[in-house]
Amino acid sequence: MQTVMQALRLDSARASSATMRVSLLEWRGSASVRLRFGTPCRVIALGGGRTQAVFEAGQRCARSLRVRNGYGLVRQELLILQAGCAGQVMQRVAGVSPGARVLLRAQGHTQVTAVLTLIDRIETAGFVPEDVAPCYWQSVHNRLMAQQALPMYTAARHAAWSARRTLQE
């Protein structure tokens, strides 16, 4: 039986088309799926309030999911995703095709609110959230799971990430 999240690997034959498609939905009935941050290279309108945001390999975005019923909000989730490159192991996520590298997963009102507050603080500090180091988002995820204080993104951390990215290119 297949689970919602499975590991998959993009093969080199699909390297040129290594894009991540994130399905989005405006409030329609009981669900909303939106981008909190991320700049897609293309947006495809599907009609009925549905769109698909397309990201190139390596790009990052935050996808927010909210589901409500007659009693109020019943599910809230925030994922920070990175589009995979050829040969990279990715995870399957519902609504994301073909898959993505999940850097952070926050579930429930408390976790999602904490991460949204952190993203606001990062933007206030002058950083663009999609340019933040992927390892930072992973460390925030680990702190969330351990129920510890979330680390702030600093200029020193960003400088180290920028230097490492320059050396890798």
Side-chain angles (χ1 to χ4, degrees):
M1 180 173 138
Q2 291 185 337
T3 60
V4 174
M5 297 181 74
Q6 294 178 340
L8 74 121
R9 185 178 297 272
L10 283 178
D11 56 14
S12 57
R14 292 173 33 200
S16 61
S17 65
T19 59
M20 173 178 71
R21 294 173 179 255
V22 180
S23 296
L24 306 173
L25 176 69
E26 291 298 317
W27 275 115
R28 185 167 172 100
S30 62
S32 170
V33 182
R34 297 180 176 182
L35 289 180
R36 170 55 181 87
F37 67 77
T39 308
C41 62
R42 191 169 67 241
V43 176
I44 302 167
L46 302 173
R50 296 179 314 128
T51 58
Q52 256 189 358
V54 181
F55 294 90
E56 294 294 329
Q59 285 186 301
R60 289 177 290 284
C61 70
R63 185 191 81 166
S64 171
L65 167 71
R66 295 172 46 147
V67 179
R68 65 180 179 188
N69 65 12
Y71 297 102
L73 197 60
V74 293
R75 182 172 177 215
Q76 197 171 5
E77 179 181 68
L78 182 81
L79 296 173
I80 297 185
L81 307 168
Q82 182 174 12
C85 301
Q88 192 175 43
V89 174
M90 297 187 308
Q91 293 173 308
R92 285 192 191 216
V93 178
V96 179
S97 172
R101 186 172 165 215
V102 179
L103 302 174
L104 180 142
R105 176 184 299 271
Q107 295 179 322
H109 180 72
T110 305
Q111 287 185 355
V112 170
T113 302
V115 174
L116 289 174
T117 302
L118 184 64
I119 292 170
D120 289 341
R121 288 174 45 202
I122 288 170
E123 290 173 334
T124 302
F127 301 107
V128 179
E130 54 259 33
D131 291 338
V132 167
C135 59
Y136 171 74
W137 294 121
Q138 291 171 326
S139 104
V140 169
H141 172 82
N142 292 338
R143 292 283 186 100
L144 274 176
M145 296 303 110
Q147 298 179 352
Q148 294 183 351
L150 302 181
M152 185 56 196
Y153 194 71
T154 62
R157 188 183 290 246
H158 189 71
W161 160 242
S162 297
R164 186 172 76 209
R165 186 173 43 186
T166 302
L167 288 173
Q168 289 176 343
E169 293 175 352

